[in-house]
Amino acid sequence: MSRLVSINNTFESYQSLISLFEQHKDKLFGNIHLEIHNFFAANMSTALGAVLDKFTANLNDIHFDYLSPQIETILLKNDFLTYYGKQRALDVNNTTIKFQKLKPTDGKYFKNYVIEELIEGHNTDLPRMSDGVKEKIIEAIYEIFVNAQIHSETNFIYTCGQFFPNKNKIEFTIVDIGIGFREKINRRFGRSLSATQALKWAVQDKKTTKQGVSGGIGLAVLKEFIGINKGKMQIVSNDGFYQFDDNGEDLRIFNGEFPGTIVNLQFRTDDRNNYSLKSEIDINDIF
Amino acid sequence: MKNITINIANTIGDVYGVEAEDGQKVFELIAKAFSDKKKVTLSFQNIEMLTTAFLNTAVGQLYKDFPEDYIKENLKVSEISESGKVSLKRVVDTAKLYYRDPEALRRSIDEIIED
């Protein structure tokens, strides 16, 4: 029996999910019983879904022995539990961004998902956002999705989010079960960076593992936007944890490893910065 | 020299220029036109969303195969959004640095290890 208690977007909660993975990762043809108590942040269903998929890939059966009623409601509303045979519940408040499991080649499907869930689907009930902020948020989400497509060598990408109208926040999380930052960078450069060193390197501007193609801008642009927006970004990759918010950068190490990468983004929707300002770039002086 | 217009939305069949794979299609067309000594106008008409990943493959990697001066002389853009302009400029500046000094990345890895 495994218990998850009060899972939110914190280092400790990611540690709980990693411990769950470490506990059962070598189990084959077994039964895994799970209880979730107190609280479960909807967007964390991405990381849980990824871990549980690792277990089902070893032909284990997953049993939700206990979900507190409030948690069950959230995970039914965001479709997570429908992947485990339960019936979907109507989201009356319309604050969930559905849980999705996509193949890396499902880019066009992801586009429809973004339009339905972030652009059109919540038009009436969303906290008012300027078009500029909305565009920046969607652009940031796309950069992360495309990163997972290009770099992670994952079989699946998991996405989910949640609106918090009263707190003027959106949380959005993208998870893959690929090789992680450390493996990708070490393979490319023939070095042996730790997961935290790999994360520290990757979030800097112009750092890319692509061969023959320049890049490494996506994460840097995201970080700059998060800084202006006063949001938060967290990356969990293998045993590395990176966080950037108003308090600066934080790097920490987990006990055990997440089998891939979690990118969790938190944006403020009451951001009044003007992102639509005309740039001073002359169209004839770009190249 | 004949001027060719490449319409991105038409080339990729989408108004979202987001995936690296789609950028590759645009890159191949520009490279083909350049190889045939044509000037290119890259039209962003109807494009609603861009990622740097798309622009890296579509435009950034031109700097691998063609000199900076040649690109400046023969490539123009039209109907690009303000935010698109900012992203494209950043992609171009990054590409120039990358192809001028490809070993810089390896050195930056060593700096992280030594930290």
Side-chain angles (χ1 to χ4, degrees), chain B residues 44-110:
Chain B
F44 288 77
Q45 187 182 20
N46 296 330
I47 290 290
E48 293 173 12
M49 180 70 56
L50 287 165
T51 63
T52 58
F54 172 84
L55 292 169
N56 281 327
T57 45
V59 178
Q61 61 174 332
L62 287 170
Y63 289 86
K64 177 179 61 178
D65 299 331
F66 301 94
E68 286 179 26
D69 289 349
Y70 187 86
I71 295 169
K72 196 174 177 61
E73 185 64 29
N74 294 291
L75 185 60
K76 299 270 178 284
V77 292
S78 68
E79 301 188 61
I80 190 167
S81 65
E82 284 301 318
S83 59
K85 222 158 65 172
V86 173
S87 297
L88 181 60
K89 179 72 179 157
R90 190 154 176 170
V91 161
V92 165
D93 291 347
T94 302
K96 286 179 184 172
L97 288 174
Y98 176 84
Y99 293 113
R100 275 179 208 160
D101 184 9
E103 282 307 301
L105 277 176
R106 197 174 292 279
R107 288 199 302 277
S108 69
I109 289 278
D110 293 337

Side-chain angles (χ1 to χ4, degrees), chain B residues 11-33:
Chain B
T11 304
I12 65 175
D14 201 336
V15 293
Y16 274 35
V18 291
E19 295 189 60
E21 229 172 63
D22 283 337
Q24 184 67 26
K25 294 175 195 160
V26 176
F27 164 75
E28 284 167 9
L29 285 187
I30 303 172
K32 197 173 170 188

Side-chain angles (χ1 to χ4, degrees), chain A residues 98-150:
Chain A
K98 286 190 178 61
F99 171 81
Q100 287 277 349
K101 176 180 169 181
L102 301 165
K103 288 187 286 238
T105 49
D106 284 343
K108 302 291 180 234
Y109 194 75
F110 183 70
K111 178 190 166 186
N112 292 337
Y113 169 74
V114 167
I115 290 173
E116 277 169 25
E117 297 290 323
L118 285 158
I119 300 176
E120 290 172 357
H122 295 267
N123 250 347
T124 52
D125 48 303
L126 251 185
R128 284 271 155 250
M129 276 189 283
S130 72
D131 286 347
V133 174
K134 207 171 182 177
E135 187 186 331
K136 291 290 285 182
I137 290 174
I138 291 163
E139 193 183 286
I141 287 170
Y142 253 110
E143 291 282 0
I144 298 302
F145 181 79
V146 173
N147 267 354
Q149 272 186 323
I150 299 172

Side-chain angles (χ1 to χ4, degrees), chain A residues 5 13 34-35 64 80 90-91 104 108 110 118 126 133 145 156 171 213 218 225 238 251 259 262 265-266 282:
Chain A
V5 181
S13 294
L34 190 61
E35 290 185 0
F64 290 99
F80 178 74
L90 186 66
D91 178 16
K108 302 291 180 234
F110 183 70
L118 285 158
L126 251 185
V133 174
F145 181 79
F156 296 105
E171 297 260 9
V213 184
F225 172 55
N238 311 113
L251 279 163
I262 304 168
L265 307 173
Q266 188 185 101
D282 177 357

Side-chain angles (χ1 to χ4, degrees), chain A residues 240-259:
Chain A
F241 173 78
Y242 171 86
Q243 179 170 294
F244 175 68
D245 62 10
D246 240 7
N247 300 316
E249 290 182 295
D250 185 19
L251 279 163
R252 292 159 82 175
I253 301 169
F254 293 109
N255 284 319
E257 300 206 348
F258 185 77

